[in-house]
Amino acid sequence: MIEVAPSIVKNMKSTIEKHTLKGMSFSNLQNWCVDQGESRFRGIQLFEWMYQHGINDPREMSNIRKSFRDYLITNCLFETLSIEQILSSALEPTQKFLFKTLDGLFIEAVSIIDGVRHTVCLSTQIGCNLKCDFCATGQMGFSRNLSSGEIVDQLIHVRKQTHQPITNIVFMGMGEPFLNYDNVMDAADIFHNQRGFDLASSRITISTAGILPKIEQFIHEKRKFKLAISLNAPDDVTRSKIMPVNNKWSIQELIHAGRAYSKMPRREVMFEYVLLKGFNDSEDDAMQLARLLKGIECKINIIPYNASGGIYKRPDEQTVNEFAKVLSGKRDTYRVLVRRSKGEDIEAACGQLATKSQENAHA
Ligand code: SF4
């Protein structure tokens, strides 16, 4: 069983047990205020202070009466993470943030600015136990799930530091979001809530390596977030070599679930395909992939691999372009995009996130 971080955590610097309000859902925060003898409206005010305004100090929450502000100061924790380091790419406006949790562990988030588009890539777990062979996070092992507050706090810190409105959120950082389902959904709801970050559902993408029961659960949600399925191979034998999770749920099952999602009103599905030199990048692979996705309204994201010190290499430009051309040439219901990751020089690109500080922390 995966351990879910509790809503009340012990502040490592103090012996007092405090309530962590950050990450509580809109309704739970209102209920919590009622339990403290306050009105539900007080919960709405707190929600707006924390997320719309990014305020962590109750002294600044000017429309809340003083006695309750004092109660909040004494009994509640508002910060779940501190910034340990910010690395800026020399090549483009991409920054990687290293955060420290209250229990002394480390996670990363990435801010990618491309014109008016500002995408933030968030982590959902500390490490990952799915062990995809090409991914640096997969080699770290697994420590624990992030709380919804720790997921939300990544975005609050990035927003404060970057000064350009955030337009898109992708749950594609460290960890498998669907193995931390409830906390990820709570965080995504806060990002979507008009009194929170007010981002449209279509601007929030949740990416999975293929946890089939959770994809099926997601299909039945009222939420309309985008679904991304990390495919990375056109057949089960090839996929199982790089993604052990494929031994549990096959490509056909994932495609079936992706198709079902794409048929739901106002839902979008995307298949991601990391292109590894000499492994999954041939013309035959492209044709097989085209056959697999035939007739599905979706986007295919081709991602040339970013080296992370393992055995895999990035294919050359010509191979990448030919792979995309074979797929596009089939003129099917899908759209093909080649996504060139940003921030490679600061190890912030897809598949490169792994906190070396963790090793130091455990040393
Ligand atoms: S690719 Fe995603 S699911 Fe696979 S090991 Fe890395 S973080 Fe985990």
Side-chain angles (χ1 to χ4, degrees):
M1 282 294 288
I2 287 165
E3 188 191 325
V4 177
S7 61
I8 298 175
V9 297
K10 196 170 229 180
N11 184 346
M12 306 305 282
K13 291 181 185 143
S14 139
T15 53
I16 306 166
E17 282 213 339
K18 294 191 171 191
H19 298 280
T20 303
L21 301 188
K22 193 68 68 61
M24 248 189 217
S25 71
F26 191 54
S27 57
N28 283 349
L29 190 58
Q30 291 172 63
N31 292 339
W32 182 82
C33 283
V34 171
D35 290 345
Q36 312 312 309
E38 294 288 322
S39 64
R40 298 186 71 77
F41 182 64
R42 194 70 78 212
I44 297 174
Q45 289 174 315
L46 261 177
F47 195 87
E48 289 180 344
W49 279 117
M50 286 194 289
Y51 306 125
Q52 251 179 38
H53 308 296
I55 296 296
N56 283 328
D57 185 347
R59 278 171 285 245
E60 294 178 45
M61 300 177 179
S62 52
N63 56 3
I64 292 180
R65 67 186 165 84
K66 185 167 180 312
S67 59
F68 191 51
R69 276 188 270 151
D70 290 343
Y71 177 83
L72 293 172
I73 291 167
T74 312
N75 296 291
C76 300
L77 264 182
F78 285 86
E79 291 258 32
T80 65
L81 300 173
S82 55
I83 296 180
E84 191 75 1
Q85 189 183 39
I86 303 175
L87 290 175
S88 299
S89 168
L91 308 173
E92 66 259 320
T94 297
Q95 288 183 301
K96 181 164 81 169
F97 292 75
L98 176 68
F99 298 111
K100 191 175 183 181
T101 62
L102 292 178
D103 53 352
L105 299 173
F106 294 89
I107 52 164
E108 293 178 334
V110 182
S111 148
I112 305 142
I113 296 175
D114 191 0
V116 291
R117 195 181 168 97
H118 182 184
T119 304
V120 181
C121 176
L122 299 175
S123 292
T124 55
Q125 298 183 307
I126 303 182
C128 182
N129 62 7
L130 290 190
K131 298 185 169 48
C132 301
D133 208 21
F134 52 87
C135 168
T137 308
Q139 315 310 313
M140 282 174 57
F142 174 75
S143 296
R144 67 168 172 84
N145 278 340
L146 292 178
S147 67
S148 48
E150 289 167 326
I151 298 170
V152 173
D153 258 345
Q154 295 170 60
L155 196 73
I156 291 175
H157 278 298
V158 171
R159 183 176 63 181
K160 270 187 193 151
Q161 297 294 325
T162 50
H163 311 297
Q164 175 157 335
I166 291 162
T167 58
N168 295 73
I169 291 168
V170 292
F171 289 91
M172 293 183 185
M174 296 165 65
E176 162 57 52
F178 277 172
L179 289 180
N180 187 12
Y181 192 90
D182 293 341
N183 291 343
V184 167
M185 291 302 148
D186 282 349
D189 284 345
I190 290 169
F191 299 149
H192 177 53
N193 193 307
Q194 284 184 339
R195 294 181 187 267
F197 292 79
D198 195 21
L199 281 166
S201 306
S202 58
R203 295 192 174 270
I204 299 171
T205 302
I206 302 176
S207 172
T208 178
I211 310 296
L212 187 64
K214 292 295 174 185
I215 299 177
E216 286 166 347
Q217 184 177 345
F218 191 61
I219 290 171
H220 295 105
E221 295 278 2
K222 287 198 188 98
R223 299 156 161 129
K224 297 184 174 66
F225 305 127
K226 265 194 204 169
L227 173 67
I229 298 176
S230 190
L231 209 54
N232 307 326
D235 64 82
D236 283 320
V237 173
T238 310
R239 191 168 191 264
S240 296
K241 284 182 190 161
I242 49 171
M243 299 182 75
V245 68
N246 196 70
N247 293 314
K248 205 153 183 187
W249 297 293
S250 69
I251 288 184
Q252 278 306 338
E253 289 173 300
L254 297 181
I255 302 283
H256 181 77
R259 188 188 295 273
Y261 195 71
S262 73
K263 286 185 175 164
M264 306 278 293
R266 292 176 48 217
R267 307 294 207 281
E268 283 182 62
V269 68
M270 170 160 84
F271 291 92
E272 294 171 287
Y273 194 102
V274 174
L275 218 46
L276 305 165
K277 182 177 180 178
F279 183 79
N280 63 1
D281 62 347
S282 69
E283 204 178 312
D284 273 0
D285 291 327
M287 287 197 291
Q288 218 175 327
L289 183 62
R291 281 196 293 276
L292 268 181
L293 301 179
K294 192 171 169 49
I296 304 179
E297 292 278 352
C298 64
K299 198 154 70 172
I300 308 175
N301 250 350
I302 308 293
I303 308 163
Y305 182 61
N306 300 295
S308 59
I311 56 170
Y312 300 103
K313 300 274 177 285
R314 180 201 297 244
D316 57 39
E317 276 297 291
Q318 195 184 343
T319 307
V320 173
N321 292 336
E322 275 168 15
F323 192 93
K325 203 166 131 194
V326 171
L327 275 176
S328 307
K330 296 292 172 192
R331 294 184 189 283
D332 210 286
T333 43
Y334 52 72
R335 286 175 295 141
V336 182
L337 284 179
V338 177
R339 196 175 88 207
R340 289 182 169 79
S341 298
K342 312 275 187 181
E344 207 185 342
D345 60 326
I346 50 170
E347 294 188 338
C350 280
Q352 289 186 321
L353 296 189
T355 52
K356 297 185 177 78
S357 308
Q358 218 84 260
E359 295 154 22
N360 300 337
H362 290 149

